[in-house]
Amino acid sequence: PGAVLNGIGQALGWTGQGTYFAATASLHSKQEKELIGTVNDTFAGHFAVVYLGGQTVVYALTSVLLDKTAFGLQSVFGLMTLISWFMLVIAIIWLKPLPPNSQGDENIEMTSAASLKRGCDTLVLTFSDLRAVLLSPLTLAYGAGSTFILIFVNERTISEHVGSYAVGYVGAIQSGVSALFCLPLSALSIKYGKLSCLLVGSAAYILVALTFMIFRSEEIGHWDALIALYSIWGIARALWENTCKALYADYFPATERSMAFASLITVLAGSSIAVAAMISAHVEARGLAIVLLVTGGLIVPGYVALVMVKGYPQSNWQDTQRQAAA
C-alpha cells in the first residue's frame, strides 16, 4: 500500500509541478515581455534548485538521525511524514491559482468521460507523438539510472561495503551536486543552446554506466569512489530535472502541456523505473548498466533528430524574430 500511495503522490505532484512551471514561465514571459525560451530555461533551473535543495537537506538529516542519534527507521519516517504535511500546507497557502487560460485548459470538460479520454490521449501522445518519442531517451535514461542507483549501489554496494547509514549521505551529495549544477545548466542553455546541456548530461549517464561495466562492486564500495560516482549522477539528474522539463515546455503548447508532463512523469518515468526494477531482479549490475549506456547514448541523437524533423521549438523561433526586430 505504501508503494501504491507513493506512486500516486509522485504522479500527481510531479505532473502538477511541471505544468505549473511551464504555465508560470509563459505568464512571466508575457507580462515582462521577456523571451519565452530564455524564461523556460531560467525557471526550470530555479524550480529544480528549490526542489533538489530541499531533498539534499532531507537526505542529510535522515542519515544524521540514523547515524548519530537514537532515532530508528520508524521515528525518522514519522518525522519526514510530518515535514511533508507541513510543506504541503505551506504550498496550499502560498501558491496562487493560475488563470485558467494560462494552462490551456479553458475548454476542457471536467467530467469522468472527458478525463478518461484525456488519459487515453496522454497514452497516444506518449507512444505516437514524434516529439515525445524522440525526447523519451531523456526520461528512459533517468528511469534506468535511478533504479540502478537504488538497487545496485544503495542496496548492494553501499549496504554491503560501507553501511546502510551512508545512503542518506551519498543521496545528499547527489542532490546537492544536482542543485548546484542546475543554474549553470540554465546559463549554458541560454548562451549555447540545449544541445550543449544534453551533451554534458549524456556524458554523465554514460560515465555512470561505464563505471559498473569496468569496475567490480567491491572496488566502488568506498567513500572516494562513491563521492565521485554520486557527483556524476548528480550532473545526470540535473539534466532531467532542468533541461528535460524546459524542452517539454518549449515543444508542447499550452493545450498539450498537462498531457505532455503526465506523459513525461507518470507514463515514461514510472514505467521505465518499474521495468528496470523487474530487469534488475534477473541480471547483474552490468546488465542494467548496458541499458543505461544505450538510453544515455540516445539522448543527443534523439534531440538532433527532433530538430531535423520538427525544427527548433516555436518559442525559439519567436525569440529569433523578436531579436531580429529589436
Side-chain angles (χ1 to χ4, degrees), residues 147 151-152 156 275-284 288:
T147 307
I151 294 176
F152 288 110
R156 300 182 186 178
V275 171
M278 288 187 287
I279 292 175
S280 67
H282 303 284
V283 299
E284 296 296 327
L288 193 55

Side-chain angles (χ1 to χ4, degrees), residues 48-59:
V49 165
V50 173
Y51 165 62
L52 292 166
Q55 190 177 72
T56 301
V57 173
V58 170
Y59 273 139

Side-chain angles (χ1 to χ4, degrees), residues 1-325:
V4 172
L5 289 174
N6 183 49
I8 294 172
Q10 289 188 1
L12 294 173
W14 286 354
T15 301
Q17 178 206 65
T19 305
Y20 192 87
F21 140 67
T24 53
S26 178
L27 282 174
H28 181 87
S29 173
K30 292 174 183 176
Q31 291 174 359
E32 302 299 325
K33 295 181 172 54
E34 295 183 15
L35 305 179
I36 183 60
T38 300
V39 175
N40 281 340
D41 285 329
T42 303
F43 272 38
H46 290 168
F47 267 69
V49 165
V50 173
Y51 165 62
L52 292 166
Q55 190 177 72
T56 301
V57 173
V58 170
Y59 273 139
L61 178 61
T62 299
S63 272
V64 169
L65 290 175
L66 291 174
D67 186 27
K68 304 297 184 182
T69 72
F71 271 70
L73 284 174
Q74 288 186 339
S75 300
V76 171
F77 181 81
L79 177 62
M80 294 307 162
T81 302
L82 290 175
I83 292 174
S84 299
W85 278 104
F86 177 70
M87 297 307 297
L88 179 61
V89 171
I90 290 178
I92 292 172
I93 296 172
W94 186 30
L95 291 178
K96 297 179 180 180
L98 295 172
N101 59 359
S102 68
Q103 303 173 66
D105 57 3
E106 63 273 22
N107 296 318
I108 295 176
E109 296 180 67
M110 299 302 291
T111 64
S112 298
S115 299
L116 179 60
K117 181 181 182 302
R118 196 160 178 81
C120 293
D121 290 342
T122 300
L123 291 175
V124 171
L125 181 146
T126 302
F127 299 108
S128 65
D129 188 289
L130 189 60
R131 295 165 297 176
V133 171
L134 292 176
L135 289 174
S136 64
L138 277 161
T139 304
L140 296 177
Y142 174 73
S146 297
T147 307
F148 184 83
I149 291 292
L150 175 64
I151 294 176
F152 288 110
V153 186
N154 288 359
E155 292 185 6
R156 300 182 186 178
T157 301
I158 294 179
S159 297
E160 291 178 7
H161 300 286
V162 181
S164 57
Y165 74 91
V167 170
Y169 289 131
V170 293
I173 291 171
Q174 171 251 129
S175 297
V177 170
S178 293
L180 291 173
F181 215 77
C182 278
L183 293 183
L185 266 184
S186 294
L188 187 68
S189 178
I190 291 170
K191 187 168 184 179
Y192 297 106
K194 289 186 174 61
L195 180 59
S196 59
C197 301
L198 296 176
L199 286 168
V200 173
S202 177
Y205 279 114
I206 291 171
L207 281 175
V208 171
L210 289 176
T211 298
F212 270 80
M213 294 176 69
I214 296 173
F215 301 102
R216 297 188 305 274
S217 177
E218 56 269 23
E219 295 178 295
I220 302 170
H222 54 86
W223 277 109
D224 291 346
L226 289 172
I227 289 172
L229 177 65
Y230 274 81
S231 296
I232 297 171
W233 174 243
I235 295 172
R237 187 178 173 192
L239 178 74
W240 190 77
E241 297 286 0
N242 181 357
T243 309
C244 178
K245 294 173 183 177
L247 272 170
Y248 270 70
D250 281 349
Y251 271 100
F252 293 92
T255 53
E256 298 176 309
R257 186 175 293 146
S258 60
M259 289 193 300
F261 279 102
S263 166
L264 167 68
I265 304 298
T266 308
V267 181
L268 282 178
S271 60
S272 63
I273 291 173
V275 171
M278 288 187 287
I279 292 175
S280 67
H282 303 284
V283 299
E284 296 296 327
R286 292 185 181 184
L288 193 55
I290 292 173
V291 176
L292 178 57
L293 179 69
V294 172
T295 52
L298 287 174
I299 289 173
V300 172
Y303 175 71
V304 171
L306 178 60
V307 171
M308 292 176 63
V309 175
K310 292 288 187 179
Y312 287 100
Q314 182 69 11
S315 59
N316 287 356
W317 180 84
Q318 290 171 346
D319 290 355
T320 304
Q321 299 305 306
R322 291 180 189 178
Q323 289 172 339

